[in-house]
Amino acid sequence: MNDKVKKYDVPLKQYHMLQTSLEVDYPYFPFRISIDYVLVHDASSNKNREKFRHFFEKAAQKEGLIIRHESSAQTHFTLISTPFHRLCREAEMSQMCFPLKDCQIKPAVPSCCIPLSNLFVTDDTVCHINAPFQRKNGPLFVNYTNEKKFFTPAQRGFLTHQILTKIDISKDLGFSNKQIEGKEEITLLSDEPLRRKGLNWMLMKDVYDEGFILHAPSTEEPYFKKMKDTSNVSYTDFVMEIEEDPRKRLSDSWGKWMKFQPLNKIREYFGEQIAYYFAWQGTFITLLWPATIFGLFVFVYGFIDSVSTSPIDWDDCEDIKNTTITCDSKKGVSHFFTSLSQWFMSSFDTRMNAFFAVFMSIWGSVFVQIWKRNNSVLSYQWNSEDFHSVEPDRPEFRGSKLKEDPITGEDVWISPAVIRYFKFVVSFLFVSFFMSLTFISLMLVTLLKIWANHFFKCDTSYTFNCWFVTAVIPSVLNTLSTMGLGAVYSNLVEKLNRWENHRTETDHNNSLIVKIFAFQLVNTYTSLFYVAFFRPESHGFQSNGLFGLGESFKDTCIDETCGSLLAVQLLTHTLIKPVPKFTMDVVLPYLIKIFRIHQWSSRTDIRFENNDETNVLIREWLKPSAGDFVLWEMNEKIIMFGTTMMFASLFPLAPLLSLIIGFVDMRIDAHRLIWFNRKPIPQITTGIGIWLPILTFLQYCAVFTNAFIVAFTSGFCSKFFDDGYCNVQNRLLIVIVFQNIVFILRYLLSCIIPSTPAAIKLAKRKKHYVIGHILEKGDVPHKTRAKKKTRIAKIAWITMNKREKRSRGSK
C-alpha cells in the first residue's frame, strides 16, 4: 500500500476520519473502495434493534458486502461498500445492459418538431450499442478492466440498494424475546418467518433511522471551499484525491440556460427515473416556444383591437391638460387606469381566440407524440426498455390468507379481493369528500365576492376598484384555498394509500399518483370551470341566484366579459402557485437544515469542532432528503400542462408564463439535487410510467374544454354571427366542427410523426444482431473490422513517415 493510501489508514473510532474522502481503506483490500451506502441509527437504541442490526449486517456480509462503522457521540454510521465482483454478479442477475467495445453509435439528441442547432448541445457522451452483461464476456464491454469506471455512480447505488432490499433475515428472526418478571422467554412468531425482512423492513421498524447514498466529492461544496481558506495543504490533498468531479461537470453543463440538458450525464449520476423526468420537462419547455410566440401575437392583436375600439374618452375629465396637481388631474389618472384595466380585460377575448384554441388543442397532441418519440430514443440509448426488475413485497404489506405462489410454489401471504375492493370504495369516498370541499370553498369565495360587489356598488359603475375587488381578490382567494386544501389532502392521502395495503412499491406509487392527480385536477380546475361555464348569464344556471337564494345572490357575467374574468383567474393561479412550491422546495428545507446543524452543534456531549465541519458523513446526513422528488414534481408539471392546454384559448399568455416558470423551476431543481439535497436512490424505469396515460387523458379533455369555451364562453359566436343566429344549436355546431377538425388534424400528425423513429427501429435490429452474435460466438462482429481498419491506418502512417525520411535524406 503506497503512502498516499496509508495517510488515511487511521482508527475508525476517531470521529473525523472521513473528512474529505468518500473512499476508505480495508485491511484485506490492497486498494481503496468506495462507500456505496450509509445507514444511520442511534447508538442508545434497545437490544432488540441491536440484534436485528447484527443479523442484517451479518447477512449483508454473506452477500459479499463490506461493512465498517463510524460513530459520533450517539449517532452511529454503518458504511456499506460493494466490491466490483459483487456488483458484476448482481448486474448479471438483473440482466442490466452495458456498452460494448468498438460499437459506437452517433449520439443523438431527442428529436423535436423545431430543428435546433448543435450549438445548444451540452452532452458529449459517446454512445455505444448495449448488450446484457455477462461476466464470461466481460472484456467485450467498455471499461470492464477499470473497476472505478465500469459502473456509473447511479448504477452502483441502484445495485447496492437492490442487494440490501433483497436481503432476508426472516429465518433468523423466527423467534422473539419477551421479558416476563425479569426473565427472558423465547416465543415463536407464527407468520413472521414468511415475510421478507430486508432494508425496507429495517427502516420501517426503526432499526435504522435513515439510509442514504453519499454524493460524489466536489471542490464546489461550501465546506471544502472553506477548507481552502483555512488549510491550503488539506485542500490540496483533497483535490489530489478527486480523480473526477462529476457534480461540478454536471453543474457546469446543466447550469447553461440556453442549452440542452446533459441527459446522459444526469442519467449516469442520478439514474433513469430522474433523467426521464428532466427529459420530459425539457421537451415540454422546448415545445412551449411556438405556443408562446403565437400566444404573444394573439394577445398583442387583442390589446391593439381593444385600444382602437374603446379609446379613452377625456371629455369625462375636465382640466386634464392642466399641469397643476388638482382633484381633476387625479380624476384623469384614475380614468386612465380604469381604461387600461378595461383594455387589458378585453384583449383576451378576440376573434383570434378560436384559432389559438385549435392550435393549442393540436399542440397538446403534438407534444404527446413528440414525447413518445423522445422516450423511444432515450429508452434505446439507455437500454431501459429491456430492464425488468422483480419487486419484493413492501414491508408494510400484510396478507390475511396463505396461498401457493403459482411461479415459485412457495406459500405466500395475499390480501383477499373482497378486502381490497372495500378499501378502494373507502378511498373513493374519501377523495370525493375532499372534492366536495373544493366546491364548498369556491362557493364561500363567491358569496364574499357578491358582498363586495354590493358594497362597492359595482352594479352601477365598473371602475378599477371594482375590477380589483370583484375579479382579482376572489381569484387570489380561490388560489389560496386550492393550495391549502391540496396541502391537507396530500398529507392524509399518503396515510390512506398505505392503509390500502399494496403488495409492491409500483402498485403503491401508481395508486398514490392517481389519487393525488384526481384531487388536484378538481382542486385546480373547479374555479376555472365555474367561471367558464357556470357564471355566464346566458347559460341560465343562475336564473334565481346561487342555490335559489334570489336575484341579489346572482354571480353572473355578461357573455363578452366572462372570457376576460377566466383569464384573470388563470393569471392569478399561474403567478401565485409557484410561491408555496418554492417555499416547500427551497426555503423550508433550508430552514430545516439550519435547525439540524444548530441542534447538532448545540449538543452538550460533543463539541462542533472545525474538523467536523468537513466530515462527509455528518454533512451529507444533515442535508434534507429529496423525498418522492419525481412524483411531486411531475404532478405539478402535469397540472401546469393541463392548465396551459385547456384554458389558454382565453389566456394566450399562459404558454409564456409556463415557459418562464418551467425554466426557473428546472434550474432550481437541478441545483438542489446536486448541491442541496441528499442524493436520491437511483431507480431504473422505462419512462414516465403512469403519467403517460394521464397526459393522454388531459389531451382529450383539452379538446372538449376548448371547444365549449370557444362556443359558449368566448365572444366568438357573436363576433362571427348575428345575435339572432347565436343560439344553442349553432353553438353546439361550433363544438362539433371544432372537435372534428382537431381530431382529424391530430390523426394526420400522429401518422406523420411516428412514436418510434425509423433510425431507432434500424438501430434495434442492429442491436439484436450484435447480441445474437455475442451469444453465439462470444465476440463483437465489428471488432475484427475495426482492427483491420486500425492496422491499415498504421501501415499507411508508417509508410508515409518512411517516405518523408527518405526525401529528407536525399536533400
Side-chain angles (χ1 to χ4, degrees), residues 47-150:
K47 293 184 179 180
N48 280 334
R49 292 177 181 174
E50 184 178 351
K51 179 185 64 177
F52 295 159
R53 286 191 293 269
H54 170 74
F55 286 141
F56 181 78
E57 294 176 11
K58 185 178 179 181
Q61 290 175 337
K62 290 181 180 179
E63 284 289 335
L65 304 182
I66 304 170
I67 296 177
R68 293 192 80 173
H69 300 276
E70 173 82 8
S71 61
S72 172
Q74 296 298 318
T75 304
H76 197 91
F77 299 95
T78 301
L79 314 180
I80 300 176
S81 301
T82 310
F84 180 74
H85 67 87
R86 184 62 184 89
L87 290 173
C88 290
R89 181 155 62 95
E90 188 65 27
E92 184 175 5
M93 289 189 297
S94 302
Q95 298 181 357
M96 290 180 62
C97 295
F98 290 86
L100 293 167
K101 290 181 180 178
D102 304 316
C103 289
Q104 294 185 7
I105 58 177
K106 185 178 181 181
V109 177
S111 59
C112 181
C113 62
I114 303 177
L116 297 174
S117 171
N118 290 331
L119 296 175
F120 295 97
V121 178
T122 58
D123 205 334
D124 56 354
T125 306
V126 179
C127 298
H128 298 75
I129 294 178
N130 291 257
F133 176 73
Q134 293 179 340
R135 284 176 288 177
K136 64 179 182 180
N137 296 325
L140 300 179
F141 295 91
V142 177
N143 291 329
Y144 180 74
T145 56
N146 190 334
E147 297 186 359
K148 290 188 176 181
K149 293 185 177 181
F150 181 69

Side-chain angles (χ1 to χ4, degrees), residues 30 33 55 58 103 131 143 169 174 233 285 414 512 522 533 605 677:
I33 187 169
F55 286 141
K58 185 178 179 181
C103 289
N143 291 329
I169 61 171
V233 177
I285 291 175
I414 65 168
L512 181 61
V522 175
F533 303 115
D605 55 348
N677 290 109

Side-chain angles (χ1 to χ4, degrees), residues 17-35:
M17 185 203 83
L18 285 171
Q19 291 182 1
T20 59
S21 178
L22 299 189
E23 295 179 337
V24 294
D25 301 327
Y26 290 96
Y28 42 89
F29 269 81
F31 52 84
R32 312 191 75 196
I33 187 169
S34 64
I35 302 171

Side-chain angles (χ1 to χ4, degrees), residues 245 270 311 384 407 447:
D245 197 337
F270 290 109
S384 58
I407 298 176
L447 292 175

Side-chain angles (χ1 to χ4, degrees), residues 160-172:
T160 304
H161 179 75
Q162 188 165 264
I163 294 171
L164 294 172
T165 303
K166 292 193 299 184
I167 289 177
D168 187 9
I169 61 171
S170 58
K171 294 181 180 179
D172 298 326

Side-chain angles (χ1 to χ4, degrees), residues 450-479:
I450 293 175
W451 172 84
N453 187 48
H454 286 285
F455 183 80
F456 288 93
K457 299 180 180 179
C458 297
D459 297 331
T460 57
S461 61
Y462 192 79
T463 62
F464 175 79
N465 292 333
C466 288
W467 172 77
F468 184 79
V469 173
T470 61
V472 176
I473 292 181
S475 300
V476 173
L477 292 177
N478 279 327
T479 304

Side-chain angles (χ1 to χ4, degrees), residues 493-529:
V493 77
E494 291 186 4
K495 299 179 180 179
L496 177 68
N497 204 62
R498 287 194 295 268
W499 175 73
E500 288 183 0
N501 195 26
H502 297 279
R503 178 179 288 275
T504 63
E505 196 67 30
T506 299
D507 294 338
H508 174 82
N509 290 335
N510 288 342
S511 178
L512 181 61
I513 288 172
V514 171
K515 291 184 182 64
I516 291 175
F517 172 75
F519 173 76
Q520 291 293 348
L521 183 72
V522 175
N523 192 32
T524 304
Y525 299 151
T526 296
S527 60
L528 300 176
F529 275 101

Side-chain angles (χ1 to χ4, degrees), residues 576-603:
I576 296 178
K577 286 200 72 174
V579 176
K581 182 181 183 301
F582 178 79
T583 304
M584 295 297 295
D585 291 346
V586 179
V587 178
L588 186 60
Y590 179 77
L591 295 177
I592 293 175
K593 180 181 178 181
I594 296 299
F595 173 75
R596 295 184 68 180
I597 292 176
H598 175 73
Q599 187 180 26
W600 176 269
S601 59
S602 61
R603 288 184 175 181

